[in-house]
Amino acid sequence: MRARLVVGNWKMQGSLAVNARLLDALKAGLKRFDDLGYAVCAPFPYLAQVSSVLAGSPVAWGAQDVSEHDAGAYTGEVSGAMLKEFGCRFAIVGHSERRSLYGEDDSKVAAKFIAAQRSGLTPILCVGETLEERERGETENVVGRQLDVVLASAGLAAFENATLAYEPVWAIGTGRNAMPQQAQDVHAFIRARLAARDKRLAQRVTIMYGGSVKPGNAKELFAMPDVDGGLIGGASLVADDFIAICSAARK
């Protein structure tokens, strides 16, 4: 049985006051969903607040990035061990904005994936294509390459403790989202890619969809057989919206 998971990615947004209201609302609204996994991934400066407010609640938390280095002269970097001290369970790696804006290539993403696991974190590995790549019919080539580099570096067994997120770059923060069947097609491709190596693992791994998921489209997306939840951006900053999306993800 695959786990259902909904993760809120706050991106570079929030404040102590706004966060406090949001976290309190999420704790109250999500406590009835005991058949679903959910988490929030907050900017580094707010992880102390998040861990303090959510401690003892069923809501997990994580970071939006992690260094590939464990320690050393890497000014500005944050290691997995540091994140663990704040109770983080997850770390997002390979988000499209990290790839496109900060030049993180597949090898760097793979190194971060490995570093996250080395520190006891569960990496959320993001893969996805740009609009130009989709229009050229290269979606499977791009997603397959991104996945294969991590598989080659980390090994297949590493995916026993990892979560995947398909996030078409053209649907990130644009208000556009993949049609449910488009999302399903790529999720099925990812699962088949893993199944070619290990059918049991492929059936167990959680694959979330990320790309302008909102209360109005969540139920239809999550009804697809290979869509196991969502990596939620803007809607995760509105408690009622995030709770509604979590409700839609319940089996």
Side-chain angles (χ1 to χ4, degrees):
M1 181 72 68
R2 297 197 299 269
R4 298 285 262 182
L5 179 64
V6 179
V7 177
N9 174 22
W10 293 0
K11 304 196 178 185
M12 197 177 73
Q13 301 183 75
S15 70
L16 291 174
V18 169
N19 297 349
R21 292 191 294 271
L22 176 58
L23 292 169
D24 285 342
L26 293 181
K27 280 201 304 181
L30 293 174
K31 62 184 179 182
R32 66 185 187 274
F33 297 161
D34 56 2
D35 58 343
L36 179 70
Y38 34 83
V40 295
C41 289
F44 294 138
Y46 296 133
L47 288 175
Q49 180 191 28
V50 170
S51 65
S52 176
V53 175
L54 294 182
S57 82
V59 185
W61 59 94
Q64 299 170 344
D65 192 18
V66 63
S67 176
E68 68 269 39
H69 305 291
D70 293 335
Y74 303 103
T75 300
E77 292 288 278
V78 178
S79 72
M82 294 174 180
L83 299 177
K84 284 291 288 184
E85 287 200 314
F86 288 92
C88 288
R89 177 180 168 189
F90 298 100
I92 299 173
V93 299
H95 191 281
S96 61
E97 290 158 2
R98 299 300 309 178
R99 293 177 188 265
S100 63
L101 299 178
Y102 299 98
E104 294 188 3
D105 60 16
D106 296 335
S107 296
K108 190 175 186 71
V109 172
K112 291 188 172 190
F113 180 100
I114 293 168
Q117 289 192 331
R118 192 165 58 234
S119 299
L121 298 166
T122 297
I124 298 173
L125 172 63
C126 298
V127 296
E129 82 285 10
T130 65
L131 180 60
E132 293 77 12
E133 289 165 339
R134 170 165 280 274
E135 289 178 340
R136 292 198 299 264
E138 297 176 357
T139 295
E140 292 188 357
N141 289 337
V142 171
V143 172
R145 185 202 73 227
Q146 292 170 340
L147 184 61
D148 286 351
V149 172
V150 180
L151 282 166
S153 298
L156 182 64
F159 283 76
E160 293 279 4
N161 181 39
T163 294
L164 300 177
Y166 168 56
E167 45 156 30
V169 180
W170 48 272
I172 304 298
T174 64
R176 299 176 61 182
N177 65 286
M179 297 298 291
Q181 189 59 52
Q182 289 177 311
Q184 165 59 23
D185 289 345
V186 180
H187 282 234
F189 165 77
I190 294 170
R191 206 175 299 282
R193 193 87 164 192
L194 294 173
R197 299 169 181 245
D198 187 325
K199 290 182 180 179
R200 183 195 62 83
L201 184 149
Q203 285 305 311
R204 288 173 56 86
V205 70
T206 297
I207 309 176
M208 300 184 290
Y209 171 75
S212 296
V213 179
K214 303 183 185 306
N217 61 30
K219 185 174 182 179
E220 198 175 2
L221 284 163
F222 297 157
M224 295 292 104
D226 287 297
V227 178
D228 303 320
L231 181 60
I232 315 302
S236 69
L237 295 166
V238 180
D240 288 346
D241 287 353
F242 189 65
I243 292 167
I245 291 169
C246 287
S247 180
R250 300 175 74 190
K251 293 185 178 179

